[in-house]
Amino acid sequence: MFIMTYTNFTIFHPGVFVLLGIPGLEAYHIWLSIPLCLMYITALLGNSMLIMVIITEHNLHEPMYFFLSMLAITDILLSTTTVPKALAIFWLHAHDITFDACVTQVFFVHTMFVGESAILLAMAFDRFVAICAPLRYTTVLTWPAVGRIAVAIVIRSFCIIFPVIFLLKRLPFCQTNIIPHSYCEHIGVARLACADITVNIWYGFSVPIVMVIFDVILIAVSYSLILRAVFRLPSQDARHKALSTCGSHLCVILMFYVPSFFTLLTHRFGHNIPRHVHILLANLYVVVPPMLNPIVYGVKTKQIRASVIHWFFGIKTWCCASPLG
C-alpha cells in the first residue's frame, strides 16, 4: 500500500477494498443468497447447455446460432464475474477484494455489458438479412464475414472499457476503502477517491451509454424494416413464421435493455431511491437476463428445442433449416 500525506487527507492506493454486500439488508443476506444462487446455477447450466447443443448439432451451425453462442458465453462471464463474490459475502463474510481484482471485476462487468449490446445488434442484422433479403443471406453472412463481426465486437468492447482501468488506477484514495455494494463497479469505486472524478463520471457514463444507444437505434431501424417486409408478405403463414423467428430475439432485447437502462438511470439520477434498492437491481441485472435468455430461446426457437430433445433423449424431430428458422 502506497501512502503519502496531502493537505488534510491521508491518501493511499489501497491493497484491499471491503465490499459490504447490500447495506441495510445484512440480516437478510442468507435469504437473499438462496434465490441468487438458484438463478446463477440456472444461468450457468442453461447457457452451458445451449453452447454445447449449438456445437454438437450440425443443423445449428449457422450465423444466427453462432451469435447466440456468443451471447451465452457473455452471459456466463457476466454472472460469473459478480455472483460468486456476492455469495461469498453472503455466506462466508468474505468481504475483502484486492484492488487489482476489483479493477478486473469492473473491466469485465462493463465489457460484458457493451459486448452483449453489440451481439444483440449483430443478431438483429442477421434477422434483417434473413427476412428482408433471404436470397442473399448465404452470400452476405458468410463465415469469414461472421468472423469479422465477432472480432469487431470483441475489439470494440475492449477499446471502450479498457481506458476505465487507467481512469481508476490514476486516482488517489483517501479515508475509506469500504464499497457499499456486492461487487465493484466503476463509479462506485471512483467515488471513494479524494480527487476530481469528473472525467470518470463523464467517460464511465457517457461513452458506454452513447455506444449502447447507437446499438439500440440500429436495432430499432432493423426491426422497423423487418416489420415492413413481413407485413408485405402475401401469405399469412409466411408472416407468422417470419414474426415467430424474431420473437425470441425481441424478448431477449427487452430483457437486456429495459432493466439495464433502468438500473443505470436510477443509479445516476434516482437519488431519492434507497441504496439497497439500487444494489438489489444491480444484482438482478447480472443474473436474471443470463438465466432467462437460454429459456426463451429454448422455448421459442423450434430448431433449438428439437436439438435439445435429440441431444438428451436421442429423439430426432424434423425441423426446417432455412435462414428464417
Side-chain angles (χ1 to χ4, degrees), residues 4-296:
M4 66 180 182
T5 303
Y6 179 75
T7 63
N8 294 325
F9 296 103
T10 300
I11 299 176
F12 63 98
H13 295 285
V16 174
F17 283 117
V18 178
L19 294 167
L20 294 183
I22 306 178
L25 296 179
E26 289 87 354
Y28 302 98
H29 275 180
I30 292 294
W31 296 106
L32 292 171
S33 70
I34 295 171
L36 184 65
C37 180
L38 292 175
M39 287 187 287
Y40 173 63
I41 292 172
T42 304
L44 204 61
L45 293 177
N47 285 289
S48 299
M49 183 179 68
L50 190 61
I51 293 168
M52 290 304 300
V53 168
I54 291 172
I55 290 174
T56 56
E57 294 293 321
H58 293 289
N59 65 314
L60 299 181
H61 291 179
E62 298 176 5
M64 172 184 174
Y65 301 107
F66 175 79
F67 292 133
L68 181 55
S69 66
M70 288 185 65
L71 185 70
I73 292 170
T74 303
D75 283 338
I76 290 173
L77 289 174
L78 176 62
S79 56
T80 301
T81 301
T82 55
V83 177
K85 181 58 183 177
L87 293 176
I89 294 170
F90 297 158
W91 290 343
L92 306 174
H93 305 289
H95 295 275
D96 291 354
I97 184 170
T98 65
F99 179 79
D100 289 336
C102 185
V103 173
T104 301
Q105 194 176 52
V106 169
F107 174 77
F108 275 100
V109 168
H110 293 283
T111 300
M112 294 307 108
F113 171 73
V114 175
E116 187 153 339
S117 179
I119 293 168
L120 292 175
L121 175 59
M123 295 174 74
F125 177 69
D126 172 89
R127 292 300 85 200
F128 167 75
V129 177
I131 292 174
C132 297
L135 298 179
R136 298 181 58 192
Y137 183 85
T138 55
T139 57
V140 172
L141 282 169
T142 61
W143 283 113
V146 171
R148 287 192 292 270
I149 292 172
V151 171
I153 290 171
V154 173
I155 292 175
R156 191 192 80 155
S157 304
F158 179 85
C159 290
I160 290 173
I161 303 302
F162 190 66
V164 169
I165 296 175
F166 298 99
L167 289 175
L168 285 176
K169 282 184 172 288
R170 73 181 178 89
L171 293 174
F173 294 87
C174 58
Q175 295 183 333
T176 184
N177 62 341
I178 297 174
I179 301 175
H181 208 301
S182 59
Y183 61 85
C184 297
E185 53 90 23
H186 177 206
I187 302 303
V189 175
R191 283 176 175 162
L192 301 180
C194 51
D196 184 15
I197 61 169
T198 302
V199 176
N200 293 74
I201 291 173
W202 280 107
Y203 187 90
F205 184 75
S206 302
V207 175
I209 291 301
V210 166
M211 294 305 300
V212 170
I213 290 175
F214 178 73
D215 293 344
V216 170
I217 291 172
L218 291 180
I219 290 171
V221 170
S222 296
Y223 270 93
S224 64
L225 295 173
I226 288 171
L227 290 174
R228 187 179 69 174
V230 166
F231 288 115
R232 287 180 176 178
L233 293 173
S235 168
Q236 184 175 353
D237 289 339
R239 288 196 296 269
H240 181 267
K241 181 179 178 181
L243 288 172
S244 66
T245 61
C246 300
S248 54
H249 187 214
L250 284 172
C251 288
V252 169
I253 288 172
L254 292 174
M255 286 190 301
F256 175 75
Y257 285 115
V258 171
S260 62
F261 276 118
F262 182 76
T263 301
L264 286 169
L265 292 174
T266 54
H267 184 76
R268 183 68 180 87
F269 302 108
H271 302 296
N272 295 325
I273 299 176
R275 176 180 289 173
H276 66 267
V277 175
H278 286 293
I279 299 173
L280 279 173
L281 289 173
N283 278 278
L284 290 175
Y285 163 69
V286 299
V287 72
V288 172
M291 175 189 70
L292 294 179
N293 287 350
I295 296 173
V296 168

